[in-house]
Amino acid sequence: MKPPAAREKQRRDHMKELYSTLASLLHLQPYVRMSLPELLDQATRSLKQLKERVEGLKSRKEELEKVVRLNGESSNNERRLRIVQVRESVDMELEANLIIMVNHKKVMPFEVLGVIEQGGAEIKSATFCTVGHHIYCTVHAKAFQARIGFDVELIEARLLKLVY
């Protein structure tokens, strides 16, 4: 049986290890010193932000699934799925979501990116994924200049013209 002092040291070392793991999960820089209560507050804030983001993404997924169902149930002879959605966030960031029917029109990824850049936004990331007969595209962008910004309606209109 270990003496009480050795057990206490082992407990403290274990707690240091856990706090170090928490700091790495929060992506804190190794040179940033912060007290344990501050670290726990930061972890709590991060968890709340992540939870809000998950809720927002779930609601957006449901919204898009509803649109997909409505388009799929249309009585057109040629069932074409065409979705273009452009959103602007508070911090001058833009998110464009497109679903393009492969057989409908050949739309090249560089054309989609070009439309967004012409609208005054700098591309941060873009993903294109082909599943069956659909191309799913998500583009994240930020305004070239914060003071000038970008025109969401113009970008959305040009993307619609490109897709249709």
Side-chain angles (χ1 to χ4, degrees):
M1 207 162 142
K2 292 183 183 180
R7 282 195 308 252
E8 178 60 21
K9 178 165 178 21
Q10 184 181 12
R11 185 194 67 79
R12 285 194 316 266
D13 289 343
H14 181 67
M15 290 302 291
K16 281 183 187 178
E17 202 174 295
L18 290 174
Y19 283 123
S20 175
T21 303
L22 180 60
S24 69
L25 290 172
L26 292 174
H27 303 292
L28 296 177
Q29 300 298 329
Y31 55 84
V32 174
R33 299 295 274 170
M34 121 180 352
S35 69
L36 295 180
E38 289 174 335
L39 180 65
L40 293 174
D41 286 341
Q42 177 71 26
T44 304
R45 281 193 301 274
S46 294
L47 286 173
K48 285 180 183 177
Q49 289 172 350
L50 288 171
K51 184 177 180 181
E52 290 171 4
R53 180 161 165 73
V54 165
E55 293 298 322
L57 290 172
K58 281 181 182 177
S59 67
R60 208 165 86 219
K61 176 186 171 194
E62 291 170 3
E63 183 180 307
L64 288 172
E65 285 175 342
K66 182 178 176 185
V67 172
V68 167
R69 278 193 305 273
L70 289 175
N71 283 341
E73 294 171 1
S74 66
S75 60
N76 293 343
N77 296 336
E78 186 182 303
R79 288 186 171 178
R80 294 185 296 194
L81 178 62
R82 300 174 293 184
I83 297 177
V84 174
Q85 183 180 45
V86 180
R87 293 182 183 201
E88 179 181 6
S89 67
V90 178
D91 51 352
M92 295 303 293
E93 292 197 6
L94 171 119
E95 181 179 329
N97 294 300
L98 292 89
I99 301 176
I100 306 163
M101 187 76 168
V102 173
N103 298 339
H104 172 59
K105 185 176 181 180
K106 296 287 183 186
V107 178
M108 298 293 166
F110 69 87
E111 293 173 321
V112 172
L113 300 177
V115 167
I116 293 171
E117 286 180 336
Q118 290 168 5
E122 178 181 16
I123 306 298
K124 289 174 51 180
S125 69
T127 58
F128 294 86
C129 178
T130 304
V131 178
H133 296 290
H134 301 102
I135 299 173
Y136 295 87
C137 169
T138 302
V139 179
H140 293 274
K142 191 169 183 113
F144 281 127
Q145 294 182 349
R147 283 185 275 159
I148 297 173
F150 46 78
D151 189 355
V152 175
E153 288 81 22
L154 177 68
I155 293 172
E156 189 168 32
R158 287 183 178 171
L159 287 173
L160 284 168
K161 185 177 178 183
L162 177 69
V163 171
Y164 294 138

